[in-house]
Amino acid sequence: MNQFQRTSTLLAVLALVATTGCSGRLKAPASAEVTVSKAAVNNAMDAGGAQFAPHEFGNARENLMLANQAMAAKDYRRARELASLAQADAKLAQSKANTAKAQAAAD
């Protein structure tokens, strides 16, 4: 094998490794994202999200449930998307609950 062939082979192998590495990251379990979302849903519940922001809180719980189902199905991309939605809805529910309680205390 001459120098050009070795260099070409090495570049091809590096490209394959880089491609495989990138796709592996996209398929990696989304357990951290789901865990953070679960904590956000729990915080929203503790803040009174179910009472003061039932729609947003319900969406957060549903998206978290669907994220867990996607994790079980090894659809990690979908699990990340759903976990992100759950976290956003949970934070909104928590904010609305905190605002409602602050307004009630001010009255």
Side-chain angles (χ1 to χ4, degrees):
M1 212 186 264
N2 66 30
Q3 182 66 27
F4 177 75
Q5 288 173 325
R6 277 185 264 165
T7 303
S8 296
T9 303
L10 179 61
L11 288 175
V13 169
L14 289 174
L16 180 63
V17 168
T19 304
T20 304
C22 290
S23 67
R25 274 185 252 128
L26 294 175
K27 294 180 182 177
S31 56
E33 291 88 344
V34 173
T35 300
V36 169
S37 296
K38 182 178 180 183
V41 170
N42 288 337
N43 289 340
M45 182 174 59
D46 292 344
Q51 177 184 358
F52 295 106
H55 177 71
E56 293 82 359
F57 185 73
N59 286 344
R61 289 187 63 171
E62 181 176 350
N63 285 325
L64 180 58
M65 179 190 67
L66 293 172
N68 283 317
Q69 290 175 356
M71 284 285 292
K74 298 185 190 296
D75 187 353
Y76 303 127
R77 181 174 299 205
R78 183 75 178 138
R80 279 189 188 89
E81 292 170 1
L82 290 163
S84 179
L85 290 172
Q87 186 177 1
D89 284 330
K91 286 182 177 182
L92 180 58
Q94 183 177 1
S95 293
K96 284 188 169 187
N98 288 338
T99 299
K101 289 191 287 186
Q103 286 176 344
D107 290 342

